[in-house]
Structure formats: C-alpha cells, structure tokens
Amino acid sequence: MAKTDIGPPDYKTMLPPVIQKNYGKWLYHEILKPGVLMHISQSGEALYSIRAGSPRLVSTDHIREICDIAEKYCDGFLRFTSRHNIEFLLDDKDRIEPLIDELKNRGYPVGGTGHSISNIVHTQGWVHCHTPATDASGPVKALMDEIYDYFVTATLPAHVRIALACCLNMCGAVHCSDIAILGIHRTVPKVDNTRVPNVCEIPSTVASCPTGAIRGDMKNKSVAVNEEKCMYCGNCYTVCPAMPIADPDNDGISIWVGGKVSNARSVPMFSKLAIPFLPNNPPRWPEVVHAVKNIIEVYATHARKHERIGEWINRVGWERFFSLTGIPFTDQHIDDFDLATETFRTSTQFKWR
Amino acid sequence: MSEDLKVRVTNLFREKSRGDKKMFYIRDVTKWLPNEDRHAVQNVVKELLEEEVLKYWSSGSSTYIMLAEFFPKE
Amino acid sequence: MANSDTPLLDELEKGKWPSFVKDMKQAAQKNPMARDLIRQLELSYKDKIGHWKHGGIVGVRGYGSGVIGRYSDRPDLFPNVQAFHTMRVNHPTGWFYKTDTLRKLCDIWDKHGSGLTNMHGSTGDAILLGTTTNHLQACFDDLSSAGFDLGGSGSALRTPSACVGPARCEWACIDSLDICYDITMTYQDQIHRPMFPYKFKIKVSACANDCVSSIARSDLSIIGTWKDDIQINPQEVLTYASRINIQKEVCDLCPTRCMEWNGRDLKIYNEDCTRCMHCINLMPKALRPGKEKGATILVGGKAPIVKGALLSWVIVPFMKLEPPYDELKSLIERIQDWWDENGKSRERLGELITRLGMRVFLKAVGLQAVPQMVKAPRTNPYVFFWPEDIKKEVK
C-alpha cells in the first residue's frame, strides 16, 4: 500500500545550483527587457528568469515540450508563476537570446514583466465546473489574443492584473484585481420539489443564502425562494443540487475594476462594479473583449506613471471614470448589501463629470 | 475509553441515518455528544474512517461523513 | 480536414495567444476521456451552459480530501466523462520544478487519466484534470511512490502556498518557502483528513508586495516585514537620480511622505515609514529592507460567498519567524481550535470573528489589542465591558 502523508516534493531539491548557492543572498534585480529578469547576488553571481505566457489548461505533451526547452537551455530547471506563466531559470547569459528565439518560434509569448498585463488567472468554467455562469478558458483566450501586445511590452502606467471567475464563488478570488471578469446569473433558481428531500438538507440550504431569501416549505418537504430577496448568487445550488440556477439565455459576465492586492503606495482594495452585465457570446465574447480593451485604453491614456487602475480612479473620481470610459452608471452600481452606506457619497466633494 | 465512545458514535450514526439524511458534518457529530471532549469525538470518527465503518463524502467545497453502507454507488 | 465536430472551439485555436484548445486536441488524439471532454465543451459552447453534475467522491484510502468528484450530465453523449474526477497534487513550494519531476508526473497522468492538467490550480496544486473512480487509488499509489502527495479540498486545511521568497527575491523578509513547506509537512493530517467547520487557507508572502495575494485570499496571512531602518546606498541613489525622477516617482508617491530628496541626498524618516515597498521596488540597488526582519500576521481573508468578501485583518504587527516556527504554529493552532469550537458548518474564520466580535476572538487566542489592528477606532457607542473588569460596589 502506498505511503500517505509524505507531502509535496521538497522545493530545496528543485532549485538550480545558482539559487542553492545564493539562497537568501540576492542583492538586486533588473528587467533587462520584457520577459527577461536579471537577479544579481551579493557575490555578484547572476540568475536570469525568462518568463513565457501559457494557458492554464495544458496537456502532458505540452509540459513535455516545456521540459525539452528547459533541458536544452537551463539544465532542466524551471518554475511556474502564481499567474500560470512559465519561468526558465538559467545562469548562462549567452543562452538567453537562443532561448527567446526558440520560444518565439514555438509560439510562446515572452513578457509579462514590469508595466505589462500579465497572464489572466482564471477558474474551470464550462471545462470542469458544476456551477459556472460562463466559461473561463474561452473568454481568457479571446481577450489575451486582443491584448497580446500589452503582455509582450511594458508600456502601461503600471502593471494590470486581470482575473476571471466563472461564478460568485470566485475560486481564485478575483475580487482584488485591476480588472475582474465575473460570471453571473440573473434569474432565480428553479426548486425541484421532487428531488429536494433526497438530495438536499433543508437547514443548510436555508442557511446558505446571503440575503435570507430561502425558507423551508414543510408542506412539500422542500424549500421556497423569495424572489425579491434573491440576487442569484447560486450558493443554494452549491449546497442543494435540486435548485438549478444556470440559465443559458440570461447568464453572462460582469466587469469589475480597481482592485489591488499589494500594499505598495496604497492599501489592498476590492474591485468595484463597472459593468453589471454583458452577454455570454461564445466562442470569442466580443462584448467582453471590447469592454475590457476600452477600460485598459482609457486607463493607459489618463493614468500617471506607477498609478494602478484603482489608484488612478481614486485620484480622478468614479464619476470621471464613468464619463471617460462611456460606461453607463445604473442603480445596480449602488450597493445594497451589508455596510452599503459606507460606499454612499457623504460630501459635496464631487466633480460634475 | 475510546472503544466505548466508538460504539456510541457508530450507534448514533445508525440512529441518525434512519431518515432521508445520511450525510453529516463533523460538527453535527460532536453536537450529538455535547459533554464529550470535541477532540476525542473527532479522533474516534477518524478511527472509524480508517476502519471504513464511516466514509467521507465531499463535492469539493465542504466535507460530510456517513456510514459506509449508505455511500452512493455510481 | 473533414468538418470538425468542434467548430466553435476551433475558432479559439486561432490568434497569437497559446490556445488551450490545441492542448485539448493534443490530449484527445491519444485519450478517449479528453476526446469526450472537448466534445462536451463544444456542446456547452453551443448551449451556453455547463454539463457537469454535482457529485462527491473520495476514492483514496485514508484520505477525505484532494479529489474533486465530477460527473457529466450527458453520459449518453459523452460516456468517457461520465465520471471525470480531478486530483489535486501538492506542488513543490514556489512552483520550482526539475524537468525529471514534471516528466514523472506526466507519465503517471497519461497512464491513469485524461492527459490534461492545470498548471496550477487556485490553491497552488498541480491539477490532474479528469479520471474515472477506479483509477483514483492506483494513480495515488503511483504518485506516492514517485514522491508526490495530494493537496487539500473540502473542510480541510487547503494546500498552503508561498511567494518565490529568498530563492530569488532580494526583498524577502522571511523564508516564505521554508515556512510554507514546514507548515505543509507539520499539518499533513489537517490537509488529508477534513475535520474543520469549513476550508482554511494559509498563504505566505515574504514582503508587503504580497505576490501570492495572501491578504486577499487566505484565512491566515503571513507577510514579511522589518522593524528597523531601510538600508540606503547613497551612491546607487545618485545613479538612479540620472534615470528616474526621484521627487515625482518616489517621494511624491510615498504614502506617508516620509522621504526628502534634495537632488543629492535621500533622507527617510523611518519612524513614519509604513514599509509599503514602493521606493524599494523602484530603486532595488539603492534601497533595501531593514535587518530586523519578521512577519505581520493577519486573519480572515476570503472570497464573497456567503457573508461577502473580506481582506485579512492585522492581529500581530510583528512576529519573529525562526525555524521550527513554534510561536507561529502555536498561534495557528489556538486560532483553529477557537474556530473549530465556535464555527458553524461552512462558516469561515473571518465570518465567525465578524459574528462573535474581534474582542472575543483576541481574548480567546490570547492577543493584546493594539492600534495597528484598526484603520480607525469604532464610531458607534455600543461598547461592551468585560464583567470582571467592573468593580462590584460593596454595599
């Protein structure tokens, strides 16, 4: 019987010699050009990280191709980043250009460093999730095709982190992204009274609703949804399979902006609602791609150097964001969940547009 | 001591599984025995899981525990 | 090519960005599961709806976590994905790999599963995407003998992850890799045998840049920091002066305006510095974190469902972190025990603290209230006093 509880492979056995020798003794790093980082240690030794974009969904043959490249140029040492990129780790400066040429010939985009748009973090979507309101890999591929140049260059005021989650469960927590793409439902779940008794637990289904819209329906040994209070988050469906909520005609995507994870300059911030609904339009989600490109381009032309999207909007004001991007402001933008009043304007300090 | 607790937990699972409900959160189990030490009950449940009297069931987000004989066949 | 049976997905093979459809087709040529997967995805593109059902499975003996059950809702059309479970494989900390390790993983997965993976999943695990129930134990056995283990899922400690840390970053204030690996090995039982009210996530970032989104995404956030002064190299500052506008790009963007630049010398009033990393990010050769290093501990971070998203809250401004990290582990265990005692099923740590109150939480885990824990003191007057602090008037 196989041993259990052995934990992951020890990272110390995965480190290239130049890292083992200089672990904890790095002095500084520089971005030589998009996708090429140079790290210099206190002893003067150099490590180079060549960053290439990759889809998150990869086949074993694709991984073997990556291994072939890493063996040819980096003695078999590489890593993945927290945003699904690949980093080839080498200490031989002369192998950088041949590696970049080979990556380009094989269609690997080299970049994602500095003031660029890095890879889009995303969830499973229609590929493998049981509660999606949209696909994930598809919109990500469609969007990266259109903003490819922002990955391989570093021309933006600051770096832009985009993430996609296929429903409000937000696996991967896209809620602190410069631009978040979020799958949403817009219709109430349809309770199947015949199945609720044997596949659902009434108390936990009732407790699963953020707005208390679900109550027990003892007569039918089932539950009932108060349609005014339901905002279609789908959590009841997560705990009770007899409450399907997916609706091909009305599900779609919402766009959120201005989130930030790091503490640099300003504090971590949630993304805020920019566009409440765009239709699911596979295979290339043109409305979503257009909306995100528009936001990027308005940001690129108006923000100051080092200003993330959220910092730029906080400086110029949300009314300016909506007027510059042309995105309509609606009552859906106004919060009505807990602590909503914290987001209401309590001052006469505002701009006319 | 844990043998006695193990028997009591197993019987409670049988008793509570008589209705439609077969799957329970670990919190439900510890609440069946309010004046037993929570960790003791959890350890006994782990032993029963090891012995496959009980089985885990999870859809990925949260985890239930149930009597092995009620585990859904595919 | 004869007309393909995935016309919509074929559209996504075009374009400059590398295409996941190419990978799915690559796997589909060798594997019937992958073939049915891509055909089912095409149906989703046509119907605009997902085709996976609810379903639970835990196929690995001795574990209750690490495998996600998935069942197709059209097994009639796609029999090979009737059951298409995911296995989460705990990744080497920092996602460092040698190619022989990756090749072993691929060989095992071609033998037991669809040949498709996610590199990597949201918690950091390597995701082996899709196999049948009877393959799960055999696949685990091969993984284990090759030195791999499963990650966490369900009401368990989820796979901890860490930033690249001292392996490559000059800003690392703690050994995020060693801390993450040590915690992972110390709490294997918590990862593999779910016993919590719900999931519990730990992420370690070695500085305030927080490159693994610890504050945004984990119940317990560990962020490297320092207590003393930023180290300045005046010559290097001058070199940067010729390349960047130090006044506008550094001093003016400092959140506490604690820097002065007179064209020759850079002065930092460290008592006003909040260690946000911006000036260091811009001038890595000239400025470096202080020497007295440790971590800030925050708790409560989570995604929206159910009570709304939360960013982690500061509970320990500074904690020295030296192996074997006993103080950190003791705090983690006290926090988990209080949550396990008081949390309802599916109630995250942040939601429980909101429900019972930070004051109650701090007292339970033995932490002193300090101003660094708040952006501002309370504004409402509904103040609780501990009964034992109220002297009973002796009549």
Side-chain angles (χ1 to χ4, degrees), chain A residues 1-15 19 22-24 26-30 37 39 42 47 49 51 53-64 67-68 70-71 76-82 84 87 89 107 109 119 124 126-132 135 137-138 141-142 144-145 148-149 151 168-173 175-176 208 210 233 235 237-239 241 246 248 261-265 268 270 280 282-285 305-306 337, chain C residues 8 11-12 14-20 23-24 26 30 37 41 44-45 47-50 52-54 61 63 70 84 86 90-99 101-103 106-107 109-110 115-122 127 129 140-141 144 147-149 164 166-171 175 177-178 181 184-185 188-189 192-193 208-211 213 215-217 249 253 255 276 278 281-282 284-285 288 302-311 346:
Chain A
M1 236 276 281
K3 288 215 306 289
T4 65
D5 298 73
I6 65 170
D10 185 344
Y11 67 92
K12 294 189 279 301
T13 65
M14 301 286 158
L15 302 175
I19 286 188
N22 295 289
Y23 193 90
W26 295 101
L27 191 59
Y28 68 88
H29 77 280
E30 282 176 2
L37 306 174
H39 318 265
Q42 287 155 9
L47 163 74
S49 305
R51 183 175 297 173
S54 163
R56 180 177 100 136
L57 176 59
V58 282
S59 65
T60 46
D61 285 341
H62 187 162
I63 296 176
R64 291 191 181 96
C67 291
D68 295 342
E71 277 152 16
F77 294 103
L78 70 143
R79 70 177 289 267
F80 290 87
T81 73
S82 60
H84 318 315
E87 283 182 349
L89 306 172
N119 211 341
Q124 297 291 6
W126 291 335
V127 172
H128 204 237
C129 182
H130 63 291
T131 61
D135 185 33
S137 305
K141 160 65 174 166
M144 284 310 285
D145 279 343
Y148 182 92
D149 293 340
F151 182 88
L168 274 60
N169 285 314
M170 274 201 203
C171 308
H175 57 295
C176 289
S208 72
C233 72
N235 197 38
Y237 176 60
T238 301
V239 299
V261 162
S262 95
N263 294 273
R265 296 174 310 284
F270 288 137
N280 269 335
R284 282 201 170 268
W285 278 268
K305 196 174 181 186
H306 306 306
F337 188 56
Chain C
L8 292 172
E11 173 51 39
L12 283 173
K14 303 174 188 148
K16 286 194 280 190
W17 189 257
S19 172
F20 70 97
D23 280 61
M24 291 183 82
Q26 212 173 17
K30 302 196 299 186
L37 179 71
L41 183 61
S44 281
Y45 269 61
D47 301 350
K48 297 205 282 186
I49 192 167
W52 297 105
K53 279 197 305 197
H54 273 73
R61 236 185 333 280
Y63 282 6
R70 280 291 178 272
F84 194 68
T86 277
N90 202 147
H91 62 293
T93 316
W95 299 286
F96 286 97
Y97 285 96
K98 279 198 301 202
T99 47
T101 305
L102 273 177
R103 288 184 190 280
C106 291
D107 295 344
W109 191 232
D110 280 352
L116 285 167
T117 73
N118 292 152
M119 298 303 266
H120 288 70
S122 295
I127 303 296
L129 199 71
F140 175 77
D141 295 346
S144 172
F148 297 101
D149 200 348
V164 97
R168 194 187 69 185
C169 186
E170 67 270 32
W171 300 330
D175 192 334
L177 297 170
D178 190 54
Y181 183 58
T184 303
M185 296 309 287
Q188 279 289 295
D189 184 55
H192 302 304
R193 287 161 209 90
N209 284 320
D210 194 1
C211 292
S213 312
I215 289 174
R217 293 175 51 179
E249 295 184 57
L253 296 183
C276 86
H278 176 68
N281 289 344
L282 257 59
K285 283 191 198 172
R288 303 184 63 216
K302 63 181 283 299
I305 301 280
V306 152
K307 294 277 187 279
L310 295 172
L311 294 169
R346 291 184 77 94

Side-chain angles (χ1 to χ4, degrees), chain C residues 63-189:
Chain C
Y63 282 6
S65 162
V67 177
I68 309 293
R70 280 291 178 272
Y71 301 88
S72 169
D73 72 2
R74 294 304 304 270
D76 52 329
L77 296 175
F78 315 111
N80 294 299
V81 290
Q82 187 267 333
F84 194 68
H85 313 310
T86 277
M87 297 183 83
R88 293 181 174 177
V89 177
N90 202 147
H91 62 293
T93 316
W95 299 286
F96 286 97
Y97 285 96
K98 279 198 301 202
T99 47
D100 57 8
T101 305
L102 273 177
R103 288 184 190 280
K104 266 188 280 179
L105 193 60
C106 291
D107 295 344
I108 292 170
W109 191 232
D110 280 352
K111 179 176 156 195
H112 290 292
S114 69
L116 285 167
T117 73
N118 292 152
M119 298 303 266
H120 288 70
S122 295
T123 54
D125 294 318
I127 303 296
L128 303 183
L129 199 71
T131 187
T132 55
T133 306
N134 50 21
H135 266 288
L136 292 171
Q137 187 64 51
C139 184
F140 175 77
D141 295 346
D142 283 356
L143 285 169
S144 172
S145 36
F148 297 101
D149 200 348
L150 296 189
S153 70
S155 308
L157 173 64
R158 298 301 183 82
T159 304
S161 60
C163 71
V164 97
R168 194 187 69 185
C169 186
E170 67 270 32
W171 300 330
C173 296
I174 50 176
D175 192 334
S176 46
L177 297 170
D178 190 54
I179 292 163
C180 180
Y181 183 58
D182 189 308
I183 286 175
T184 303
M185 296 309 287
T186 303
Y187 298 117
Q188 279 289 295
D189 184 55

Side-chain angles (χ1 to χ4, degrees), chain A residues 295 298-300 302-304 307-317 320-321 324-325:
Chain A
I295 292 169
V298 170
Y299 159 69
H302 287 83
R304 291 179 185 156
E307 261 184 344
R308 298 282 295 275
I309 290 184
E311 292 166 326
W312 163 60
I313 296 174
N314 286 347
R315 177 171 60 82
V316 299
R320 178 63 47 82
F321 167 78
L324 286 178
T325 55

Side-chain angles (χ1 to χ4, degrees), chain C residues 212-271:
Chain C
V212 286
S213 312
S214 179
I215 289 174
R217 293 175 51 179
S218 42
D219 301 81
L220 189 114
S221 308
I222 300 165
I223 310 287
T225 191
W226 65 89
K227 292 200 85 165
D228 53 346
D229 295 357
I230 289 178
Q231 303 177 66
I232 302 183
N233 179 329
Q235 289 72 28
E236 290 296 346
V237 173
L238 280 173
T239 319
Y240 277 111
S242 57
R243 286 187 8 226
I244 63 173
N245 182 328
I246 289 183
Q247 184 57 49
K248 257 180 71 179
E249 295 184 57
V250 180
C251 301
D252 292 353
L253 296 183
C254 167
T256 61
R257 289 292 188 286
C258 76
M259 307 175 79
E260 277 168 9
W261 166 248
N262 61 11
R264 213 175 52 269
D265 302 297
L266 184 67
K267 174 98 178 67
I268 299 179
Y269 296 89
N270 279 278
E271 65 280 12

